[in-house]
Amino acid sequence: MRILVLGAGKMGSFFVDLLSFDHETAVYDTDARRLRFMYNTQRFLSLDEIDAFAPELVINAVTLKHTLDSFRAVMPHLPAGCILSDIASVKTDLQAFYAASGHPFVSTHPMFGPTFANLGKLSSENAIVISEGDYMGRVFFRDLYARLGLAVHEYTFDEHDETMAYALSIPFISTFTFSAAMKTQKSPGTTFKRHLEIARGVLGEDECLLREILFNPRTPAHVERIRMELKTLLDIIDRKDEAALGAYLARIRENIR
């Protein structure tokens, strides 16, 4: 299959490395410096170069902020039957875009972003394939992710966004709270240093991603849950209630078991 990857960042490079020995691949990026380390693949700096390549599948691996603009820029250079695909962690507006595009599509979410995951060892990671899309496109990505050892789940667009509102908003907001309350430690303990490492990784994410997670209409309910849990814990601390603390710890240990 002829596969075009949009974006030569960490995830774009990952997909080129993964696919280039079994498929005819090309990568497009406007920054020539990003392309200089790409190998075993065609490298495009101009959209016009895509015309002759005539991809059968496009994998959009640019940052979330530019996903739709990147699709719109490349569309005039794609054959009619070319399958569009994205790997965005937030699917806002993508369903409507695909419906109006006139192209078959497949939307997936490899849940092993480059911030923390070891891209060479993914057997403990997950991937989501959106059920509303081209059948053969879904089969392609399910097989691809399965070969990496990923646990593959199939959700609708709505189910994906609901899952991400929980799976991303709670750890991200908890990290924001930690970061907002922290102060410089001359001799930080192990737990503090681990939280700090996570905070630096999360706050290094694309700001558009952070905004989309926070402004997801499903997020406020999860923020309210965090607020209520903090209120409960503060009340236990103020009363120095050992019995209540024991019950609280038992409950949260059960949650993470």
Side-chain angles (χ1 to χ4, degrees):
M1 183 185 293
R2 291 186 306 279
I3 301 173
L4 172 68
V5 176
L6 302 179
K10 289 182 179 179
M11 289 304 289
S13 300
F14 171 78
F15 275 97
V16 170
D17 289 345
L18 183 64
L19 296 167
S20 62
F21 288 96
D22 297 315
H23 301 274
E24 186 180 354
T25 63
V27 57
Y28 167 75
D29 200 294
T30 56
D31 187 346
R33 292 171 297 182
R34 286 174 172 255
L35 295 174
R36 61 184 172 175
F37 298 117
M38 307 296 287
Y39 67 98
N40 199 41
T41 188
Q42 296 186 57
R43 297 175 290 181
F44 298 155
L45 280 169
S46 167
L47 287 168
D48 292 337
E49 295 176 274
I50 296 170
D51 295 339
F53 183 67
E56 298 167 88
L57 170 68
V58 171
I59 300 176
N60 193 332
V62 304
T63 58
L64 180 65
K65 180 179 181 180
H66 301 293
T67 298
L68 289 176
D69 287 341
S70 182
F71 268 141
R72 294 185 182 109
V74 77
M75 290 273 284
H77 303 272
L78 302 179
C82 180
I83 300 172
L84 306 179
S85 74
D86 72 273
I87 57 170
S89 52
V90 178
K91 304 296 185 184
T92 306
D93 299 327
L94 277 166
Q95 185 176 13
F97 169 81
Y98 284 135
S101 71
H103 282 263
F105 71 90
V106 57
S107 185
T108 75
H109 180 187
M111 298 179 69
F112 49 86
T115 300
F116 296 115
N118 177 357
L119 296 182
K121 187 178 181 181
L122 298 170
S123 58
S124 63
E125 305 292 347
N126 299 278
I128 293 172
V129 175
I130 301 299
S131 59
E132 299 144 303
D134 179 78
Y135 173 75
M136 293 307 298
R138 298 201 316 271
V139 168
F140 175 85
F141 278 99
R142 286 189 70 92
D143 289 348
L144 180 66
Y145 293 146
R147 289 203 306 272
L148 293 171
L150 299 169
V152 184
H153 311 275
E154 192 159 302
Y155 295 156
T156 65
F157 275 110
D158 284 343
E159 288 169 341
H160 172 273
D161 287 349
E162 175 60 39
T163 300
M164 289 307 102
Y166 169 79
L168 294 179
S169 66
I170 287 182
F172 277 32
I173 291 164
S174 299
T175 299
F176 294 165
T177 303
F178 166 80
S179 302
M182 72 171 294
K183 59 181 180 181
T184 301
Q185 296 284 313
K186 291 183 179 179
S187 53
T190 301
T191 302
F192 185 92
K193 287 190 287 187
R194 288 179 178 176
H195 278 282
L196 182 58
E197 181 182 355
I198 292 171
R200 286 172 173 158
V202 169
L203 291 170
E205 292 279 8
D206 177 47
E207 195 164 312
C208 180
L209 170 64
L210 302 180
R211 182 172 63 249
E212 290 294 335
I213 292 168
L214 292 178
F215 292 170
N216 184 322
R218 299 172 175 87
T219 293
H222 297 300
V223 178
E224 178 62 19
R225 284 183 58 202
I226 293 174
R227 190 185 73 83
M228 293 303 296
E229 290 296 339
L230 288 172
K231 183 176 182 296
T232 298
L233 185 57
L234 182 59
D235 179 64
I236 292 171
I237 293 170
D238 285 342
R239 292 186 288 109
K240 295 182 173 59
D241 189 331
E242 293 185 12
L245 178 59
Y248 184 83
L249 293 175
R251 175 169 67 85
I252 64 176
R253 284 177 178 135
E254 181 65 25
N255 283 351
I256 66 172
R257 190 175 63 176

